[in-house]
Amino acid sequence: MNRYTIISVLASVIFISCQESVKDAKQIASKPQIYPDYVDVTIPANIAPLDFCMDDEKAELIDVVITGKDGLELHAQGKETAGIGAKEWHDIVSNSIGDSLGVIVSAKYEKGWETYQKFNIYVSRDSIDYGIVYRLIEPGYIVYSKIGIYECNLYDSQENALIENTEFQGCVNCHSFNRGNPNDMSLHIRGEKGATLLRLKGKIEAYNTATPQTLGSCVYPYWHPSGRYIAYSTNNTQQVFHVQDRKRIEVYDHESDLQVYDTETNQLLVTPLLKKKEVMETFPAFSADGKVLYFCAADGKPIETNDFDSIRYNLCSITFDPENGKFGDKIDTLVNAAAVGKSVSFPRPSYDGRYLVYTLSNYGQFSIWHPEADLYIMDLKDGSTRAMDVINTNDTESYHSWSSNSKWMVFSSRRDDGLFTRPYFTHIDENGEQTKPFMLPQSNPRDFYRKRFFSYNVPEFITGPVEYNNHEAVKAIESPQRVQMDVRK
């Protein structure tokens, strides 16, 4: 035994000896109220420890006993939070795959200990991807301030900055990966040195995507499963700010079109069907087989200052032939949301081709500030659609993406405090049924989230570390050189 092992063992002994025994506890007939709410959730085995606090903030100590398969037990105790050890957590969780963990929580208050009824944490047989990538942004959306794109390893919740706008002057947004492949990435830069940064097979280049034949620069990307094509929208966007409303900001389009970029020929593929002046098309997404392009479309009409709430988007589709890059000759409407006074945004098909999830709100396409925004799931076998009632709340549920195995979904929600969007995860089975969602785990979560004055924006799964060379990216941004995209004749 070397001296490092001895120190580790001694530290464990000291920690255990410092724990206070739970004596003469009052038995509470209900399950504990904890933050975040991890009671009876379903998790993947490769997720970070679900550390939590008592919701009432009055507890002097919190004691947690977790029992797994074969009687394996984990015991943790602390003041603000129990502080579940990472190694012990992963040991007990990996041993309980396909089973459940029993969790007994005790809390010490001024009058003594209270022990709550056991709750379960179910461990799915389906693993989750390596991590997620998101943008952190202040909730005001008025000025750039500090904005960055960050990667989070879901195994331990460690965060790594890929690129931040403190390294240059501008705004970073619209990051996208091909089914979570960290080697292929599209990133939009706004501002004086605006560009679309494309990372193809590890090489980063800055592109000018605006052409005389299109409305402007390419945004809102979605990769074709082959990796050859990227669908983009071009949007003439306007912002307004509410004075008295739960919605602090509204973003709406005056006009918008769709096109597909061919990475092999450096050409933008267009069709008159997706460039109609009387229609605004946005949020493209390819089907699992790459033969259909889903998107949202609304009637294009002059918008007065206070008339943006009359714009409603339907879910539509057009066929696409990846062999020759040709579009179909008609547009199909899959969900006529406008007919029932609703609006669709962010269509995201599962990668196994079975389901498509979209956001439904009362109007417009900036649903991340709409408290009424909920998630809906469409069965692509029969076209039926229904609300995802297990994960919807009375606050915003919005942007979402699928894991590479189509078993997990991450989505953004304001259910925590009504102000900041946080990432939540849910398991989706073969029948489209969802499990109770859980928030991205953090060590001492209440302290962490109270001190993080940023919203998590556009969470996207990745299957491995991005290994993004931000020095190379900043050099490409700062350089006046741009690869010019052209429209296919």
Side-chain angles (χ1 to χ4, degrees):
M1 180 181 293
N2 60 39
R3 65 188 184 93
Y4 299 104
T5 305
I6 293 171
I7 291 171
S8 176
V9 171
L10 287 175
S12 298
V13 171
I14 292 170
F15 174 74
I16 293 171
S17 65
C18 290
Q19 287 187 336
E20 182 175 323
S21 61
V22 179
K23 297 187 298 185
D24 304 320
K26 179 182 178 181
Q27 300 298 310
I28 306 300
S30 60
K31 296 177 182 179
Q33 300 292 314
I34 59 175
Y35 176 86
D37 182 7
Y38 292 141
V39 174
D40 298 333
V41 296
T42 297
I43 63 169
N46 53 327
I47 196 72
L50 300 193
D51 212 357
F52 57 85
C53 313
M54 297 305 294
D55 193 54
D56 59 17
E57 301 188 53
K58 297 178 181 179
E60 298 173 4
L61 286 174
I62 177 172
D63 185 273
V64 178
V65 177
I66 301 176
T67 304
K69 189 178 179 182
D70 301 326
L72 194 62
E73 189 173 281
L74 185 162
H75 184 202
Q77 187 183 104
K79 290 184 178 180
E80 178 73 12
T81 178
I84 300 170
K87 182 182 185 306
E88 294 81 4
W89 167 261
H90 286 297
D91 285 345
I92 197 170
V93 171
S94 61
N95 190 61
S96 302
I97 293 175
D99 210 312
S100 62
L101 306 174
V103 184
I104 296 179
V105 175
S106 300
K108 185 182 180 183
Y109 295 94
E110 186 177 349
K111 294 182 180 180
W113 284 97
E114 294 181 353
T115 298
Y116 297 86
Q117 294 297 304
K118 183 183 77 170
F119 68 86
N120 293 314
I121 296 175
Y122 303 96
V123 185
S124 173
R125 297 184 184 278
D126 298 315
S127 63
I128 204 166
D129 287 334
Y130 164 84
I132 56 173
V133 170
Y134 42 79
R135 180 170 67 154
L136 290 179
I137 184 171
E138 292 178 345
Y141 295 90
I142 299 174
V143 295
Y144 287 162
S145 187
K146 181 181 179 180
I147 301 174
I149 306 296
Y150 301 85
E151 166 191 299
C152 180
N153 182 345
L154 294 179
Y155 188 81
D156 57 15
S157 293
Q158 291 299 304
E159 185 178 273
N160 174 50
L162 298 182
I163 187 169
E164 297 174 314
N165 71 338
T166 53
E167 302 171 270
F168 63 94
Q169 185 61 39
C171 171
V172 291
N173 64 356
C174 298
H175 57 278
S176 178
F177 302 86
N178 182 16
R179 299 189 178 206
N181 179 359
N183 294 317
D184 295 336
M185 180 181 180
S186 176
L187 177 66
H188 187 59
I189 308 296
R190 291 183 180 177
E192 182 181 342
K193 298 178 179 179
T196 293
L197 284 186
L198 281 182
R199 184 174 187 253
L200 298 170
K201 299 178 182 179
K203 183 181 179 181
I204 298 175
E205 287 189 289
Y207 289 73
N208 179 14
T209 59
T211 74
Q213 298 94 339
T214 54
L215 290 176
S217 297
C218 291
V219 294
Y220 302 151
Y222 195 95
W223 291 74
H224 191 270
S226 67
R228 175 176 175 175
Y229 304 103
I230 311 172
Y232 288 102
S233 67
T234 51
N235 305 67
N236 181 359
T237 301
Q238 181 69 43
Q239 290 186 138
V240 293
F241 298 90
H242 297 280
V243 177
Q244 292 179 327
D245 201 292
R246 289 179 67 190
K247 311 180 191 73
R248 288 169 171 78
I249 183 175
E250 194 65 43
V251 176
Y252 59 93
D253 291 335
H254 286 287
E255 53 185 344
S256 57
D257 290 331
L258 299 182
Q259 54 271 313
V260 171
Y261 175 60
D262 186 339
T263 64
E264 292 187 2
T265 65
N266 190 39
Q267 291 180 320
L268 290 170
L269 315 180
V270 299
T271 172
L273 292 175
L274 299 177
K275 287 177 59 64
K276 293 180 179 178
K277 193 168 184 61
E278 67 274 17
V279 179
M280 294 186 293
E281 305 93 352
T282 191
F283 298 138
F286 281 111
S287 61
D289 61 7
K291 296 180 179 180
V292 175
L293 183 66
Y294 301 105
F295 60 95
C296 300
D299 291 338
K301 59 181 180 180
I303 302 176
E304 302 298 331
T305 302
N306 297 315
D307 193 34
F308 51 81
D309 58 357
S310 67
I311 301 298
R312 294 182 171 88
Y313 289 78
N314 295 325
L315 176 61
C316 300
S317 69
I318 188 172
T319 59
F320 179 79
D321 187 344
E323 294 298 321
N324 54 30
K326 296 292 183 66
F327 298 91
D329 57 5
K330 67 172 184 174
I331 302 293
D332 290 319
T333 299
L334 307 181
V335 176
N336 190 346
V340 294
K342 295 290 184 180
S343 187
V344 173
S345 58
F346 305 132
R348 288 293 181 266
S350 60
Y351 301 129
D352 61 4
R354 179 66 195 279
Y355 295 105
L356 181 147
V357 172
Y358 59 91
T359 303
L360 196 69
S361 56
N362 286 345
Y363 61 86
Q365 44 88 10
F366 197 67
S367 53
I368 59 175
W369 265 118
H370 285 229
E372 82 282 357
D374 283 332
L375 295 176
Y376 279 68
I377 188 167
M378 170 183 284
D379 190 330
L380 293 174
K381 284 186 176 181
D382 58 20
S384 61
T385 185
R386 67 185 189 276
M388 302 179 79
D389 291 330
V390 173
I391 63 177
N392 289 328
T393 65
N394 59 1
D395 216 317
T396 308
E397 275 72 51
S398 188
Y399 190 90
H400 48 280
S401 69
W402 292 86
S403 63
S404 60
N405 61 5
S406 299
K407 299 299 183 182
W408 298 92
M409 194 176 72
V410 59
F411 63 95
S412 57
S413 176
R414 296 191 192 274
R415 70 184 67 196
D416 190 25
D417 56 17
L419 180 61
F420 297 96
T421 50
R422 317 281 194 208
Y424 285 79
F425 302 85
T426 183
H427 182 269
I428 300 180
D429 68 14
E430 61 276 7
N431 298 314
E433 299 299 329
Q434 319 98 55
T435 57
K436 178 180 176 179
F438 64 93
M439 191 161 66
L440 175 66
Q442 297 291 348
S443 177
N444 199 343
R446 182 155 51 219
D447 181 70
F448 177 89
Y449 284 112
R450 278 184 175 174
K451 292 178 178 178
R452 170 150 282 191
F453 298 112
F454 292 91
S455 283
Y456 290 76
N457 186 254
V458 191
E460 288 277 338
F461 278 108
I462 48 173
T463 57
V466 177
E467 298 178 357
Y468 198 71
N469 189 328
N470 66 334
H471 297 293
E472 184 181 345
V474 171
K475 182 179 178 181
I477 295 169
E478 295 286 357
S479 170
Q481 301 300 318
R482 296 287 185 267
V483 179
Q484 179 63 51
M485 289 187 183
D486 296 311
V487 174
R488 184 174 67 181
K489 299 294 190 291

